[in-house]
Amino acid sequence: MDTELDPSARPPLLVLRGIVKQFPGCLANDHVDLQIGEGEIHALLGENGAGKSTLVKIIYGVMKPDAGSFTWRGETRTVASPAQARALGIGMVFQHFSLFEALTVSENIALGLNDPKDRENLPARIVDISTRYGLPLDPTRAVHDLSVGERQRIEIVRCLLQNPKLLIMDEPTSVLTPQEVHKLFATLRRLASEGCSILYISHKLEEIRALCEAATIMRLGKVVAHCIPAEKTARELAELMISAKLKEQSFSHKTISTAAPRLVLDRLTVRSNQQFGTDLKDISFAVAPGEILGIAGIAGNGQSELMDALSGEIPAGTPRNIMLDGAPIGHEGPRARRRRGCCFLPEERNGHGAVGPMTLAENGFLSAHVRGALDRLGLINRKRTQEFAAQVIKTFDVRTTGPRAEARSLSGGNLQKFLVGREVLQQPGVLMISQPTWGVDAGAAAAIYEALAQLAAAGTAIVLISQDLDEILLLCDRIAVIAAGKLSPPIPVREATIETIGLLMGGDHTAEEKHAVPA
Amino acid sequence: MLFRLEPRGLRSDFWSYGSPVLAVVLTIVTMGVIFAIMGAPPITGIETFLISPLTSPGGIGSLLVRAAPLIMIGVGLAFCYRANVWNIGGDGQFTMGAIFGGGIALLLPNAPFWWCYPLVLVCGVLGGMFWAGIVALLKLKFNANEILTSLMLVYIAQLILVWLVTGPWRDPQGFGFPQSAMFGAGATTPDFGTTSIHLGCVLAPLLAVALWLVMSRSVLGFQLRVVGQAPRAARYAGFSNARLTWIALLVSGGLSGLAGIIEVTGPIGQLTTTITPGYGFTAVIVAFLGRLHPVGVIFAALLLALSYLGGDAAQISLNMPNSITNIFQGVLLFYLLGVDVLILYRIRRVKPRIVEPAV
């Protein structure tokens, strides 16, 4: 693995050395080095949570690094705000656009320009730039009837009007059709040939190999490699990015059970209720008692929608889309599903799995009152509620002052242990859990893995949705990959390779076809 | 020297309860300045406004009579706001309660108290529920913002009342005044001896305590709090947002309606065009000043009730305009909202520094 900076023939535009950014409980950037040459298209590659966004926010002046140097065209600088970054010549196109739907293209662009001088002849200049770079835009159209690709062009033109030297693009193709991607690449190559450097953030390996001259690969806050993407295969890039090193714990992967499945999803199709959500298309799988099915995938590919559909927060299209022990439950809400023996834990702790300003006892009541019979005649049974919370705290070694502590007073890992414990102690027949160890330290993670493995050994069917591939490979019996709202057919973990999983994560359908007929 | 607001990260428990007290203090200081500008000695002004109403004969009674509707509407609103449902149409629900209950009372001028009075109260409650139910229906069916619909329904209710008392329900023996006949003895809220204190003054704090128990002990109250603090967690728990929106609005509407019917069957004794000096709006301040806590609402209602009496006193002995009450309430709400910043932020003094040029 090549960790030296790539000796590039191009004069460096931006050099970052030893960037450190510490968040509470998480070192987001750990001595990160990055060098971008003039006119270079440079890829920043990594999984979610690898520290890409933090690094980009530091470059764009949104965040201040704790340590490290920032050298721009040979001069050391500090960038304290996005306005300063723009003044240097750094432009950024965010993944989620900030546009006013009711206003026209040129009105939206004018709103982003601080200097009144820049607003002169704006429509003419928009047309000029957009034709020059192959970004057709009509400045008089209202944003609300433009496609996503056209909206992205507005953001790009807004940056280009300021003659940037460095253009940062955050996951630009995640919202585009293949044809739009093709056009975007032509534009970016043209820009680079005119001397504008581009920092291209993505996890789509083939795109990066096709477009970028150099790449910096990050994992868990550290740079793991600098390389030339065209010289690597997609497999090599995937390995660098996800580096599936097994943890010391190990659990035996069971062979596929022949028992009747407890939970069956049959062509579940759900429209997302979020603005930038992912629709689920034809999701099918079955989980047997005692089995742990892992669902891998990069964030935002439909995991939260799948969790909402499993828990009943979003009803399925027809009741038979979700079957529990042979009974259709797709139409039922979370309480009815709990009564049938399902338990759920969504990815987001704050405000979804738990209510921060409420006590642990109340948070225990939140999901456990149905199965734990913590209420009586419409009143909260305070004694039993306290006892249940105390039992979770004791069994799962939650470090807290007791059931009366507010959930938000606990560290992320401790709260997660409490929440996992709350679901596990209800002894569910089926447990659906998402990101059980997100932001959790190694000790707490090991405790959570142990609890899940024991639960499975006792006969619970578990669906584990996670972006942490290590976790899935460690714990699960079978693995399926969700990409763009579609789920690949599950395969036994023992037969899965990093290469196929990586390609499935990037949405490569040829790999999916290979899976359909396992050798 | 510069000051900067810095996020605390966590809510400050001290300022959650300290901010209403500070807001009251700042309001009193500001009122002193306003009295001075208007030509009254500040100390005398404040004494007249806040102290004299309590020391005058019958003062406490008047205070309780004014506070009763504020408590009843205020606890209902606090209940509603806890669930993140922003009903600000308490005045309209109050008016509708008076109309529904008052209509029954006019229909039965000679009915005996033992069944007539409870019937009148129930109809008042139903009237308020009906008016708030429209808000719930519009919100859930058409996603209409309840702040706007509940406010607009206030004016509709008032116009209906004006139409009734100048038209079909006008007292034939009333010399053409826009008012209904006086209610019969069977539809009059009982009062205690020679004081002006009536049944509502006793009922209101009892209702506040009852609602406090519902909020803190019942599954329903738990559901309301979860839906208000974390709507996604409520969905995860399986609590129905629609059901809770209905309950929140019906309970607060019913309590406002009850306040309305008790007001017209008690202190007023008939339907007139002006049955409320804006109790429903003042109750919004009451709910927030009381930290959306039913018991806090009782204290807040007493203070705001005092502002009505103080306005009368200032008018009589200092020649101030009656709108001094509105000024007091407005200034209080202003400070309360402003000081609440301290719950989430602290004030930091920062040294001025030379800002580096960008390029």
Side-chain angles (χ1 to χ4, degrees):
Chain A
M1 173 185 321
D2 178 13
T3 50
E4 292 299 303
L5 283 182
D6 183 44
S8 169
R10 299 176 183 278
L13 173 75
L14 171 69
V15 181
L16 300 180
R17 292 262 181 241
I19 297 290
V20 176
K21 181 74 190 177
Q22 172 84 52
F23 291 121
C26 161
L27 191 55
N29 277 182
D30 184 1
H31 296 89
V32 171
D33 295 334
L34 175 71
Q35 176 169 339
I36 303 172
E38 291 200 7
E40 180 180 85
I41 305 183
H42 192 106
L44 186 57
L45 187 62
E47 280 195 294
N48 270 81
K52 292 174 302 187
S53 319
T54 306
L55 186 64
V56 167
K57 282 180 185 158
I58 288 170
I59 297 174
Y60 196 56
V62 179
M63 277 181 193
K64 200 169 154 288
D66 299 332
S69 69
F70 183 107
T71 312
W72 178 258
R73 300 174 118 177
E75 283 176 61
T76 304
R77 298 203 171 267
T78 51
V79 183
S81 69
Q84 279 190 19
R86 284 195 292 270
L88 283 178
I90 301 175
M92 177 150 180
V93 176
F94 288 92
Q95 194 177 359
H96 294 173
F97 313 138
S98 40
L99 297 170
F100 291 96
E101 303 244 328
L103 301 183
T104 66
V105 171
S106 67
E107 283 165 342
N108 264 290
I109 291 178
L111 279 171
L113 301 173
N114 297 329
D115 189 349
K117 207 168 68 225
D118 286 342
R119 293 191 209 119
E120 287 167 19
N121 310 324
L122 192 57
R125 286 168 56 218
I126 292 171
V127 171
D128 178 44
I129 287 207
S130 63
T131 46
R132 187 138 54 96
Y133 293 102
L135 299 161
L137 263 186
D138 178 354
T140 58
R141 296 242 338 249
V143 167
H144 61 78
D145 48 43
L146 298 183
S147 72
V148 182
E150 287 171 308
R151 291 175 192 214
Q152 187 181 53
R153 281 182 220 150
I154 303 175
E155 297 273 3
I156 298 174
V157 167
R158 172 143 71 185
C159 289
L160 294 185
L161 278 169
Q162 318 228 19
N163 297 316
K165 291 278 163 293
L166 172 65
L167 185 62
I168 305 172
M169 312 243 3
D170 188 4
E171 306 265 356
T173 56
S174 57
V175 290
L176 300 183
T177 64
Q179 292 73 19
E180 286 173 326
V181 170
H182 198 70
K183 282 189 202 151
L184 174 70
F185 282 9
T187 302
L188 296 181
R189 289 197 183 99
R190 165 109 199 241
L191 273 169
S193 72
E194 291 179 5
C196 176
S197 307
I198 290 158
L199 182 59
Y200 187 89
I201 299 153
S202 181
H203 50 249
K204 295 187 181 168
L205 309 172
E206 288 302 336
E207 278 182 8
I208 283 174
R209 290 187 65 235
L211 181 71
C212 302
E213 295 161 58
T216 297
I217 303 174
M218 292 185 73
R219 181 172 140 74
L220 298 174
K222 290 195 181 106
V223 171
V224 290
H226 298 281
C227 64
I228 296 173
E231 292 175 358
K232 304 266 182 193
T233 63
R235 178 201 165 135
E236 285 169 320
L237 289 176
E239 277 180 355
L240 287 170
M241 185 168 100
I242 52 193
S243 166
K245 191 168 92 311
L246 283 183
K247 289 180 182 145
E248 279 171 33
Q249 245 173 337
S250 80
F251 300 100
S252 63
H253 301 299
K254 290 178 287 296
T255 46
I256 296 164
S257 167
T258 49
R262 296 211 70 162
L263 178 75
V264 178
L265 261 69
D266 182 22
R267 284 162 293 153
L268 173 72
T269 298
V270 167
R271 276 187 66 84
S272 174
N273 52 7
Q274 306 281 318
Q275 196 187 356
F276 290 99
T278 309
D279 298 340
L280 301 179
K281 298 173 202 89
D282 284 335
I283 296 212
S284 300
F285 63 76
V287 200
E291 187 191 13
I292 307 182
L293 172 70
I295 294 182
I298 291 151
N301 274 287
Q303 288 96 330
S304 61
E305 287 81 5
L306 179 58
M307 192 66 212
D308 285 355
L310 288 173
S311 70
E313 289 181 50
I314 312 179
T318 61
R320 303 193 70 81
N321 281 152
I322 305 178
M323 307 278 283
L324 182 78
D325 296 327
I329 60 162
H331 58 295
E332 291 185 345
R335 288 219 287 184
R337 293 188 194 190
R338 283 199 185 95
R339 230 168 268 129
R340 288 181 182 273
C342 299
C343 281
F344 333 96
L345 188 59
E347 165 184 348
E348 179 65 39
R349 292 186 284 265
N350 292 329
H352 196 183
V355 186
M358 286 191 163
T359 66
L360 290 181
E362 287 174 312
N363 272 292
F365 186 86
L366 185 71
S367 85
H369 67 281
V370 176
R371 290 181 62 72
L374 304 179
D375 55 343
R376 196 164 40 117
L377 303 171
L379 295 177
I380 298 172
N381 187 333
R382 283 146 71 93
K383 186 160 164 283
R384 290 196 58 161
T385 301
Q386 296 272 341
E387 281 169 1
F388 177 75
Q391 194 192 351
V392 174
I393 290 167
K394 186 159 165 281
T395 317
F396 284 81
D397 188 26
V398 180
R399 309 284 158 78
T400 174
T401 51
R404 286 168 204 273
E406 284 184 3
R408 62 184 169 188
S409 72
L410 269 65
S411 72
N414 264 317
L415 181 56
Q416 185 71 5
K417 278 202 279 186
F418 180 83
L419 297 179
V420 172
R422 175 183 79 186
E423 303 307 320
V424 168
L425 284 193
Q426 293 179 48
Q427 293 166 327
V430 180
L431 176 66
M432 304 152 207
I433 188 164
S434 182
Q435 294 290 128
T437 59
W438 184 276
V440 162
D441 64 71
I448 289 171
Y449 294 151
E450 195 60 48
L452 294 179
Q454 276 181 16
L455 199 62
T460 301
I462 299 180
V463 180
L464 171 69
I465 302 174
S466 178
Q467 288 155 48
D468 183 345
L469 202 52
D470 293 351
E471 180 167 288
I472 288 182
L473 295 179
L474 173 72
L475 210 54
C476 298
D477 305 313
R478 287 188 303 152
I479 177 171
V481 178
I482 190 166
K486 289 194 240 173
L487 191 72
S488 73
I491 52 169
V493 160
R494 279 187 289 195
E495 294 166 25
T497 66
I498 292 297
E499 186 190 12
T500 45
I501 295 169
L503 290 175
L504 284 170
M505 280 182 171
D508 186 327
H509 292 277
T510 55
E512 197 177 328
E513 278 151 26
K514 267 185 254 158
H515 265 303
V517 229
Chain B
M1 195 163 53
L2 288 164
F3 291 97
R4 196 176 58 180
L5 281 175
E6 193 181 80
R8 287 179 192 273
L10 283 179
R11 291 173 64 89
S12 156
D13 285 337
F14 175 78
W15 284 110
S16 290
Y17 297 98
S19 83
V21 176
L22 180 60
V24 170
V25 171
L26 288 171
T27 304
I28 291 173
V29 172
T30 307
M31 288 310 286
V33 173
I34 290 171
F35 282 125
I37 292 169
M38 298 186 66
I43 302 293
T44 318
I46 289 165
E47 199 273 335
T48 310
F49 192 78
L50 291 180
I51 315 270
S52 73
L54 298 178
T55 52
S56 64
I60 301 291
S62 314
L63 185 73
L64 295 180
V65 168
R66 291 286 195 160
L70 291 177
I71 294 172
M72 283 190 262
I73 308 172
V75 285
L77 293 184
F79 188 76
C80 213
Y81 295 167
R82 282 279 173 135
N84 255 348
V85 177
W86 302 104
N87 173 13
I88 57 161
D91 231 37
Q93 293 138 26
F94 179 98
T95 304
M96 260 320 174
I99 290 173
F100 270 54
I104 294 295
L106 291 173
L107 213 61
L108 305 164
N110 300 314
F113 179 86
W114 69 268
W115 64 264
C116 179
Y117 185 69
L119 178 68
V120 165
L121 287 197
V122 167
C123 288
V125 171
L126 290 177
M129 287 172 121
F130 165 60
W131 219 232
I134 297 175
V135 177
L137 188 73
L138 292 174
K139 181 178 168 67
L140 294 169
K141 195 99 184 153
F142 303 104
N143 206 15
N145 185 313
E146 73 274 19
I147 298 178
L148 300 178
T149 53
S150 64
L151 179 63
M152 290 192 284
L153 282 165
V154 170
Y155 304 111
I156 296 173
Q158 274 169 0
L159 290 172
I160 291 174
L161 176 66
V162 169
W163 173 70
L164 285 172
V165 296
T166 54
W169 289 0
R170 181 157 62 182
D171 182 5
Q173 276 96 51
F175 309 104
F177 281 109
Q179 57 197 31
S180 73
M182 297 295 287
F183 299 133
T188 296
T189 297
D191 50 19
F192 298 99
T194 54
T195 64
S196 51
I197 299 171
H198 57 75
L199 184 67
C201 305
V202 181
L203 202 55
L206 292 179
L207 284 168
V209 171
L211 237 63
W212 172 65
L213 288 173
V214 170
M215 289 279 239
S216 60
R217 299 293 167 93
S218 74
V219 178
L220 174 68
F222 179 79
Q223 295 184 344
L224 279 168
R225 284 184 289 135
V226 172
V227 111
Q229 290 181 8
R232 281 207 78 183
R235 270 211 326 239
Y236 161 69
F239 303 155
S240 157
N241 184 43
R243 178 173 158 266
L244 292 170
T245 302
W246 273 109
I247 291 175
L249 278 164
L250 291 181
V251 166
S252 74
L255 282 165
S256 297
L258 181 65
I261 188 59
I262 288 181
E263 192 70 10
V264 293
T265 55
I268 300 176
Q270 64 190 144
L271 288 175
T272 72
T273 52
T274 49
I275 56 170
T276 155
Y279 283 135
F281 297 110
T282 304
V284 175
I285 308 176
V286 166
F288 280 104
L289 191 65
R291 299 281 91 166
L292 304 186
H293 189 293
V295 177
V297 161
I298 296 177
F299 293 105
L302 289 171
L303 179 68
L304 271 299
L306 182 58
S307 78
Y308 283 118
L309 302 182
D312 294 342
Q315 196 177 10
I316 293 161
S317 56
L318 295 174
N319 246 341
M320 295 277 163
N322 193 26
S323 51
I324 203 87
T325 300
N326 291 336
I327 293 174
F328 177 87
Q329 294 184 355
V331 169
L332 182 60
L333 185 62
F334 170 82
Y335 279 122
L336 190 67
L337 296 176
V339 174
D340 268 358
V341 161
L342 293 173
I343 298 174
L344 291 174
Y345 295 87
R346 64 167 67 87
I347 297 174
R348 262 288 155 80
R349 188 188 293 174
V350 286
K351 292 194 199 89
R353 58 164 186 204
I354 295 111
V355 180
E356 286 172 48
V359 180

